[in-house]
Amino acid sequence: MTRRIAYQGEPGANSHQVCMEHYPDWEAVPCASFEDVFAAVESGGADLAMIPIDNSIAGRVADIHHFLPDSGLHIVAEHFLRIRFCLMGVPGTTMDTIKTVHSHVHALGQCRRIIREHGFKPVIAGDTAGAAREVAEFADVTQAAISPPLAAEIYGLEVLAEDVEDEDHNTTRFVVLSPELVEAPSGNGPVVTSFIFNVRNLPAALYKALGGFATNGVNMTKLESYMVGGEFTATQFLAEVDGHPDDVGVKNALEELAFFTTDIKVLGVYRADPFRAEVSR
């Protein structure tokens, strides 16, 4: 029986690409929204979910922090994908025939140079791969799409220009979510621990809560705050550290964190993607 992994977007999206790279024998299931992705795994319609969580240019991916804490899903892996965009059109399209270019608003913003140089009119689409599908349906040589290379293969478009993104470091970090908590073993390579917590409404509570990570030599790689319950005094934090909860330093830091916080919840303990080591050199 083929296992299934859900992702947000249409076939040919970057999320589809990363599913194919790391789960080639699985059925990749496209979903219209992030909410649908979470629902697919929670209901058993898919075994895992592939979710983008950070981008090196755009920052954190909106909405994920709303779904993740209460979803009951766990982070079991992470993958980094170098984001590459191509300019593509139906057969017969040339740079001279193009008048409008379609893509997601973030992709258009990340490919301003080629749009400006050629005087294309940008048109916002709901999804990068969806833009390619729409251009294929238009069958109009004046319409082009900025989409991942995979979309050109799927929708029968010709690539007119490769790597049209302005920054060559454009990278998205994806996390794999599972209904089962599967922790990476301790002492068998670099590990990341993701967790959420609420800070007590006390003076210097956050400073004191995080002090244990510094004194125990634990490297914190992510700390993001979110308002919860519509209250300005109730703040939830999503944090990530290098190390395993069984490591002495991480264990002591989490114990100290508990004195100044409430509702600590470990979201996942998983192997660090080798990309982390590459970029830190």
Side-chain angles (χ1 to χ4, degrees), residues 197-200 205 209 256-264:
F197 62 90
N198 289 358
V199 175
R200 297 181 185 278
E256 190 166 336
L257 178 70
F259 284 110
F260 303 100
T261 61
T262 61
D263 305 320
I264 299 176

Side-chain angles (χ1 to χ4, degrees), residues 32-51:
S33 67
F34 289 125
E35 188 173 12
D36 291 339
V37 176
F38 279 84
V41 180
E42 291 167 2
S43 67
D47 301 284
L48 298 175
M50 182 72 74
I51 294 291

Side-chain angles (χ1 to χ4, degrees), residues 140-158:
D140 180 354
V141 296
T142 69
Q143 312 280 333
I146 288 178
S147 303
L150 180 60
E153 299 178 24
I154 291 175
Y155 300 109
L157 299 179
E158 292 184 350

Side-chain angles (χ1 to χ4, degrees), residues 8-10 32 102-106 123-131 133-134:
Q8 188 276 326
E10 298 195 34
H102 303 249
S103 197
H104 186 273
V105 61
H106 287 166
V123 177
I124 296 174
D127 179 78
T128 53
R133 175 185 55 77
E134 291 171 355

Side-chain angles (χ1 to χ4, degrees), residues 1-260:
M1 184 175 179
T2 303
R3 304 194 71 184
R4 310 177 85 211
I5 182 166
Y7 67 92
Q8 188 276 326
E10 298 195 34
N14 285 308
S15 295
H16 186 194
Q17 176 69 44
V18 75
C19 286
M20 291 180 62
E21 288 184 8
H22 296 281
Y23 296 85
D25 298 328
W26 291 45
E27 178 186 354
V29 181
C31 297
S33 67
F34 289 125
E35 188 173 12
D36 291 339
V37 176
F38 279 84
V41 180
E42 291 167 2
S43 67
D47 301 284
L48 298 175
M50 182 72 74
I51 294 291
I53 194 168
D54 299 298
N55 177 266
S56 60
I57 295 176
R60 72 186 185 194
V61 177
D63 296 334
I64 300 305
H65 60 279
H66 291 303
F67 299 121
L68 193 55
D70 300 322
S71 68
L73 302 182
H74 308 275
I75 302 175
V76 296
E78 68 171 359
H79 303 291
F80 289 79
L81 179 70
R82 165 75 167 83
I83 302 301
R84 289 184 166 88
F85 289 120
C86 296
L87 180 70
M88 58 189 70
V90 295
T93 303
T94 67
M95 300 296 282
D96 293 330
T97 65
I98 298 172
K99 298 196 179 301
T100 60
V101 61
H102 303 249
S103 197
H104 186 273
V105 61
H106 287 166
L108 293 172
Q110 294 168 13
C111 303
R112 290 190 179 96
R113 185 182 302 116
I114 190 170
I115 294 173
R116 183 177 60 251
E117 288 178 352
H118 294 274
F120 299 148
K121 177 183 177 182
V123 177
I124 296 174
D127 179 78
T128 53
R133 175 185 55 77
E134 291 171 355
V135 166
E137 293 172 352
F138 294 151
D140 180 354
V141 296
T142 69
Q143 312 280 333
I146 288 178
S147 303
L150 180 60
E153 299 178 24
I154 291 175
Y155 300 109
L157 299 179
E158 292 184 350
V159 173
L160 305 174
E162 297 180 330
D163 296 333
V164 297
E165 61 277 2
D166 296 339
E167 303 291 343
D168 60 8
H169 62 74
N170 190 354
T171 302
T172 294
R173 174 178 173 239
F174 293 81
V175 292
V176 180
L177 304 180
S178 168
E180 305 296 330
L181 176 60
V182 182
E183 292 191 357
S186 177
N188 190 26
V191 170
V192 178
T193 297
S194 297
F195 56 95
I196 55 175
F197 62 90
N198 289 358
V199 175
R200 297 181 185 278
N201 191 22
L202 300 170
L206 180 60
Y207 172 79
K208 295 175 181 177
L210 298 181
F213 294 95
T215 56
N216 285 283
V218 177
N219 184 34
M220 180 170 286
T221 57
K222 176 193 283 287
L223 181 65
E224 296 181 350
S225 62
Y226 312 97
M227 307 306 293
V228 293
E231 300 180 14
F232 287 94
T233 56
T235 303
Q236 186 174 81
F237 291 86
L238 169 63
E240 293 181 349
V241 298
D242 290 339
H244 195 284
D246 290 343
D247 297 344
V248 174
V250 177
K251 182 178 180 180
N252 291 340
L254 289 175
E255 289 177 354
E256 190 166 336
L257 178 70
F259 284 110
F260 303 100

